[in-house]
Amino acid sequence: MPSNQIDAALAADAAEVGRLLLAAPEDQWFDRKAATTRARDLARPLVAFANAEGGTIAIGLHNGAVQGIDSVPQRINEWRQVPLDFTRPPVRARFQEVPCRNQAGMPDRLLIIRIEPGERVHEAIDGECYLRIGDESRKLTYNHRQELEYDRGQSQYDGQQATGANFSHLDARLVTRFGQKIGSSGAVHKILDARSLLTPDNKITNAGLLLFGKRPQTAFPQAYVRILRFLDPRRGTGSRLELEESSDVRVEGAIPHVVEEAQRTMEDLVPRRRALAASGRFEAAPIVPRDVWLEGLVNAVIHRSYSLGGDHIRVEIYPDRIEIESPGRFPGLLDPRQPLKIRRYARNPRIARVCADLRIGQELGEGIRRMFEEMRRVGLTDPVYRQTSGSVRLTLAALPRLDPAVAGRLPKGSADIVDLLRASTSALGTGDIVDALEVSRPVVLRRLAALQEEGLVRWVGKTPKDPRAVWLLTDR
């Protein structure tokens, strides 16, 4: 059962609710706890959910059995007091006792805890800090906690009140359809509140307006996706700008509509080539697999910085690659130099949660891994992330990977230089490569020497110390 059906399970008949919750996988937003759980031990998942995107904990379920909580009445008040007694600052949580049938078939209850994303970094009373990542509540190191504290103000922009917005600015049909997705048939107010899209005084949040607004761009002029297709691999400027006529599309609206419409537009504009398909016939296929560029688009829309005014998401489609640039740097917990090791962390936790409910996006780290796996499956070079002072650019190049035999002879990390040179729109010097990869100059020089020896790159300069010298890929 996907996590967006937890609400439907909780609304089921008492005889079914326990079975449905046991069938639901524990994930980024849902956890089960036994009736024997101590109050102090409950602090860890509460803190982890609050430091991530919020979530739901069901107490009274253990080892595939519905225990219920009626057999431990003395613990109920202890659990309810956990936010005040064992978390700092107190985690915002709502408690609900849901009727069920226990494993003996007798009437019983489950304790359901709804945790909201926190405005600040939370910790347990013992000073430990946790973050929900997938189905785990992971303890953060000192450095990771510092990064989380640094990022927290930015990450909660989606939870702030949308200035001047009220319920008349929302598309009630979108909200109702979302309510049906999560199994809630209540009023608009109730549906929004279930996903922390209202402030404590019942005002619409920035996330609520971006997700369900009739025209969010009135309040967020920069919240759109611009899609451009170029005729030449080189972008060009001015009179040499190689932009294809009628291939500059601006997509606006609520986030679900933006993703859907941008996807349709890209399907029309991404170049196709003839390739041998699974059917054994040559068929037209996009130069970059659809699942890869779609994941890149979705990640950009969900995780961009909506607080940065004056900038938007740009998708640039070239004959040999697709580039997706999104406003906002990677949060400090994420290292763009090691994309396959990225831990889940959402800059916009409320937007990420709703999009997951709508099956628009999954987990950030998981999606990136899928992109790499799919590009490697079809024999293309790895995706490349480059971070500027205010944005992240993803390059998906329709270029073949290094031959495995050649790659085995090269120093570790050499392929990163090849990918970087392929992704760059201009020639790069040694210093540029050092800065982009954020590794030492001796390491870069050693990798470049090995690549040059294999005939994969060439050095172009007038003298050995030419400051304008650059590295270029060979035609091989």
Side-chain angles (χ1 to χ4, degrees), residues 130-148:
Y130 302 92
L131 183 69
R132 189 72 177 183
I133 301 176
D135 62 355
E136 300 179 14
S137 297
R138 293 192 191 175
K139 183 164 71 173
L140 297 183
T141 64
Y142 176 76
N143 288 336
H144 279 144
R145 175 174 176 156
Q146 280 192 317
E147 294 288 0
L148 182 61

Side-chain angles (χ1 to χ4, degrees), residues 177-476:
R177 283 202 292 269
F178 173 67
Q180 293 169 349
K181 282 278 188 181
I182 65 173
S184 174
S185 57
V188 168
H189 178 280
K190 183 178 178 181
I191 295 170
L192 295 175
D193 192 46
R195 288 297 180 266
S196 304
L197 298 177
L198 299 178
T199 65
D201 57 350
N202 293 321
K203 303 296 184 182
I204 297 167
T205 62
N206 289 329
L209 188 60
L210 284 163
L211 287 161
F212 301 118
K214 293 176 182 176
R215 182 168 172 74
Q217 285 70 33
T218 300
F220 304 98
Q222 77 283 5
Y224 65 92
V225 175
R226 186 182 180 192
I227 304 172
L228 310 100
R229 184 163 74 174
F230 295 88
L231 296 170
D232 191 88
R234 297 288 179 180
R235 191 175 191 274
T237 58
S239 61
R240 296 184 179 181
L241 184 66
E242 296 292 339
L243 181 64
E244 184 176 342
E245 184 72 21
S246 302
S247 293
D248 184 349
V249 181
R250 176 169 166 159
V251 183
E252 297 182 338
I255 284 176
H257 171 77
V258 167
V259 172
E260 184 178 339
E261 193 60 32
Q263 174 185 333
R264 278 199 292 262
T265 301
M266 289 184 67
E267 285 175 341
D268 291 338
L269 295 181
V270 171
R272 305 177 78 82
R273 58 182 175 81
R274 292 187 64 79
L276 189 64
S279 63
R281 299 178 180 178
F282 282 91
E283 300 175 0
I287 58 169
V288 172
R290 176 184 178 277
D291 288 351
V292 176
W293 61 252
L294 180 56
E295 188 68 39
L297 169 69
V298 168
N299 278 346
V301 173
I302 293 176
H303 301 290
R304 65 152 289 176
S305 174
Y306 283 96
S307 64
L308 290 179
D311 204 1
H312 54 273
I313 295 169
R314 281 181 300 282
V315 178
E316 298 180 355
I317 301 172
Y318 297 88
D320 61 350
R321 69 189 185 280
I322 298 171
E323 298 187 2
I324 301 173
E325 187 161 5
S326 178
R329 290 168 59 86
F330 273 113
L333 283 170
L334 310 183
D335 186 352
R337 294 170 299 173
Q338 297 179 307
L340 289 176
K341 295 183 179 180
I342 281 180
R343 308 170 64 155
R344 178 178 176 81
Y345 180 76
R347 170 182 278 118
N348 306 303
R350 293 162 181 83
I351 291 174
R353 175 78 186 275
V354 170
C355 287
D357 286 336
L358 294 171
R359 312 306 291 169
I360 291 175
Q362 296 297 314
E363 301 177 11
L364 179 60
E366 174 192 329
I368 290 176
R369 284 193 294 274
R370 281 202 306 269
M371 291 166 59
F372 274 73
E373 289 169 0
E374 184 63 16
M375 291 290 276
R376 291 172 179 179
R377 185 187 68 81
V378 297
L380 297 179
T381 187
D382 285 345
V384 175
Y385 285 95
R386 292 195 68 183
Q387 187 163 251
T388 70
S389 59
S391 67
V392 172
R393 177 177 285 255
L394 167 66
T395 298
L396 304 169
L399 297 170
R401 292 178 58 78
L402 288 178
D403 181 271
V406 174
R409 296 194 295 268
L410 295 170
K412 183 179 179 181
S414 299
D416 295 340
I417 294 179
V418 175
D419 290 341
L420 179 64
L421 293 175
R422 283 174 168 173
S424 178
T425 57
S426 59
L428 301 178
T430 304
D432 298 323
I433 298 172
V434 169
D435 292 341
L437 297 181
E438 298 184 26
V439 295
S440 69
R441 189 178 185 89
V443 169
V444 167
L445 288 172
R446 185 165 64 252
R447 295 175 185 176
L448 285 168
L451 290 168
Q452 189 174 29
E453 186 175 342
E454 290 287 345
L456 295 171
V457 301
R458 58 191 177 93
W459 182 86
V460 179
K462 294 182 178 179
T463 66
K465 294 186 178 181
D466 184 356
R468 296 188 179 87
V470 295
W471 292 91
L472 302 176
L473 291 170
T474 64
D475 294 333
R476 174 179 168 180

